[in-house]
Amino acid sequence: MFRFLIAAAAIALSTAPALANGHGGGDAPPPPKPATSPAKVILTKQGPTLVDLNGMTLYYYERDTTGKTSNCNGKCVESWVPLPATADAKAVGDFTVINRNDGSKMWAYRYRPLYTSPADKAPGEANGNATTLQWRVARPEN
């Protein structure tokens, strides 16, 4: 008789969620995805460097000083490709979203718009560093 009571209790406990019309018995909905960073830091011979999610070196333009716009427009984007952000992108940590003149959005790090260089053909290359043109490799301490 005791075994019967234990078996009946186990069955009752296991079917309670089903009898609750789906309330309290199912899996909870997954939590919202945390926003992911558009870039990461890698360690190079020159020190920590910001790279995009494909490992391509990121740069900033010294003339981008307002934190609200990019000064690289028109022909400039042929040499310096803005790090694109989706239309619904939201700021994450030190990364912010900037509206471009053409209506698109791009990522910025500590309010400096970020770009990649077509001169870099493989992850980790930094061929776009042009000190005379005021372009710099983006670093986490910048």
Side-chain angles (χ1 to χ4, degrees):
M1 177 77 168
F2 183 69
R3 286 187 204 172
F4 175 75
L5 289 174
I6 291 177
I11 290 171
L13 290 174
S14 67
T15 59
L19 298 175
N21 291 327
H23 298 289
D27 292 333
K33 280 185 166 182
T36 56
S37 173
K40 57 187 176 181
V41 177
I42 63 167
L43 190 56
T44 66
K45 292 176 187 174
Q46 293 77 30
T49 301
L50 285 173
V51 297
D52 69 9
L53 298 180
N54 295 319
M56 301 305 285
T57 301
L58 292 170
Y59 301 86
Y60 70 91
Y61 188 32
E62 287 187 353
R63 292 185 183 173
D64 287 339
T65 57
T66 67
K68 297 178 182 173
T69 60
S70 165
N71 286 304
C72 181
N73 296 293
K75 287 211 171 259
C76 179
V77 297
E78 293 173 10
S79 300
W80 300 97
V81 181
L83 183 61
T86 60
D88 62 345
K90 303 282 186 232
V92 178
D94 285 333
F95 293 93
T96 54
V97 179
I98 290 181
N99 294 314
R100 295 189 45 75
N101 288 355
D102 64 4
S104 65
K105 295 182 181 243
M106 70 180 293
W107 286 105
Y109 179 72
R110 295 185 178 170
Y111 299 99
R112 284 191 178 262
L114 295 170
Y115 308 84
T116 57
S117 172
D120 297 338
K121 302 298 182 199
E125 289 185 351
N127 299 319
N129 200 24
T131 55
T132 58
L133 298 176
Q134 300 176 348
W135 289 91
R136 306 282 183 262
V137 170
R139 301 194 184 282
E141 66 272 4
N142 289 356

